[in-house]
Amino acid sequence: MYKLVLMRHGESQWNLENRFTGWTDVDLTETGRQQAKQAGELLKENGFEFDLAFASVLKRAIRTLWIALDSMDAMHTPVGLSWRLNERHYGALQGLNKAETAQKYGEDQVLVWRRAYAIAPDPVAEDDPRNPRFDARYARVPADQLPRTECLQDTVARVVPFWEESIAPAIRSGRRVLVTAHGNSLRALIKHLDGISDEDIVHLNIPTGQPLVYELDENLRPIRHYYLGD
Ligand SMILES: CC(=O)Oc1ccccc1S(=O)(=O)Nc1cc2c(c(O)c1O)C(=O)c1ccccc1C2=O
């Protein structure tokens, strides 16, 4: 039996302001840092150790990992970063809060988007500064793979290959793996692991800063999962 630990980053500044964040590189709040520290302490108290950790290339996930590893006294753990673990790209919604979104697009459109699996918001324009192609951290990503908006289906389509190519092989080789990522990129991973339907996945909400432990059989099929600290 293998164990895999997933963790959503702690509270960020734009979580607090109820803004769509997506690929915007906002940092953790002090509360978010505390959550990461407590998660690390919980993992240590429960005897967890890791041989490898993964995170997105967004600082709120990386810092969550750093703080958790630090409180486990395990900052020597090798870390793999990938854009494929980034949060869902929210296109032109990035930066808007609840009022601005409703004002700009109307409540009806918001309700459609909330429940949709395969509908993406308006993309950021090619020359919009928010276009990932202008960000050095994505320089080595082929331009046709870089999103300017995403629906949840798009996020699943770019997270699952990372699972197949990087995370699953590490687990199969006997490494104990920790993944710190985002609400929708973890939804994508969990959808794949548990075989959750397109309709149901939009209702799955993963709490921030709480380690989620998956026990996997020899074929990496989930046997059970539980949150530490419950
Ligand atoms: C709790 C909250 O205030 O959520 C916000 C934050 C910013 C804008 C709108 C809202 S809301 O109150 O309409 N709720 C709200 C709104 C939305 C979503 C969502 O999950 C949600 O809970 C989406 O997933 C979502 C996904 C893709 C496009 C738009 C939305 C969206 O507009």
Side-chain angles (χ1 to χ4, degrees):
M1 184 261 287
Y2 300 112
K3 279 188 183 178
L4 165 67
V5 179
L6 308 175
M7 195 158 70
R8 185 176 174 190
H9 64 79
E11 179 194 78
S12 74
Q13 191 50 43
W14 280 12
N15 290 155
L16 208 54
E17 300 170 21
N18 258 334
R19 287 186 188 282
F20 289 107
T21 312
W23 286 30
T24 317
D25 202 14
V26 293
D27 210 336
L28 296 175
T29 60
E30 186 46 45
T31 300
R33 293 164 187 244
Q34 282 307 318
Q35 289 171 332
K37 187 167 180 292
Q38 278 150 20
E41 287 160 359
L42 204 53
L43 285 164
K44 187 177 171 79
E45 280 157 28
N46 286 272
F48 281 85
E49 292 179 329
F50 299 106
D51 305 297
L52 182 60
F54 291 102
S56 70
V57 293
L58 298 171
K59 67 175 67 170
R60 58 192 188 269
I62 300 168
R63 197 182 302 286
T64 295
L65 178 58
W66 286 357
I67 293 170
L69 288 177
D70 190 4
S71 55
M72 294 176 74
D73 200 17
M75 289 200 88
H76 57 280
T77 307
V79 172
L81 303 180
S82 175
W83 70 275
R84 288 181 177 276
L85 291 176
N86 275 17
E87 176 55 291
R88 165 185 179 172
H89 198 295
Y90 277 101
L93 293 182
Q94 291 188 171
L96 299 186
N97 65 23
K98 179 168 180 170
E100 291 159 347
T101 308
Q103 186 207 350
K104 192 163 188 217
Y105 295 96
E107 296 284 350
D108 296 349
Q109 178 63 69
V110 166
L111 278 176
V112 166
W113 278 330
R114 272 182 90 155
R115 278 197 299 271
Y117 178 68
I119 302 175
D122 299 347
V124 293
E126 269 297 337
D127 57 356
D128 187 311
R130 295 174 295 179
N131 185 332
R133 75 186 176 99
F134 297 126
D135 187 329
R137 83 193 77 190
Y138 307 114
R140 296 170 50 80
V141 181
D144 64 328
Q145 287 185 22
L146 278 181
R148 289 188 284 123
T149 185
E150 283 183 321
C151 62
L152 199 43
Q153 187 175 56
D154 295 328
T155 308
V156 172
R158 50 113 164 137
V159 168
V160 170
F162 187 72
W163 162 263
E164 300 295 3
E165 290 157 21
S166 300
I167 304 175
I171 296 170
R172 281 196 196 93
S173 71
R175 286 181 177 78
R176 296 160 299 176
V177 172
L178 168 62
V179 178
T180 53
H182 307 261
N184 288 294
S185 52
L186 290 175
R187 269 178 169 174
L189 200 47
I190 289 165
K191 181 178 196 295
H192 179 69
L193 284 174
D194 284 322
I196 298 172
S197 72
D198 298 359
E199 293 71 36
D200 293 341
I201 194 62
V202 294
H203 303 293
L204 176 73
N205 288 308
I206 299 145
T208 56
Q210 263 213 321
L212 171 53
V213 181
Y214 265 81
E215 292 184 0
L216 308 172
D217 68 18
E218 68 279 5
N219 299 312
L220 301 193
R221 299 241 190 303
I223 299 161
R224 68 190 190 106
H225 63 267
Y226 54 93
Y227 283 99
L228 271 192
D230 275 358

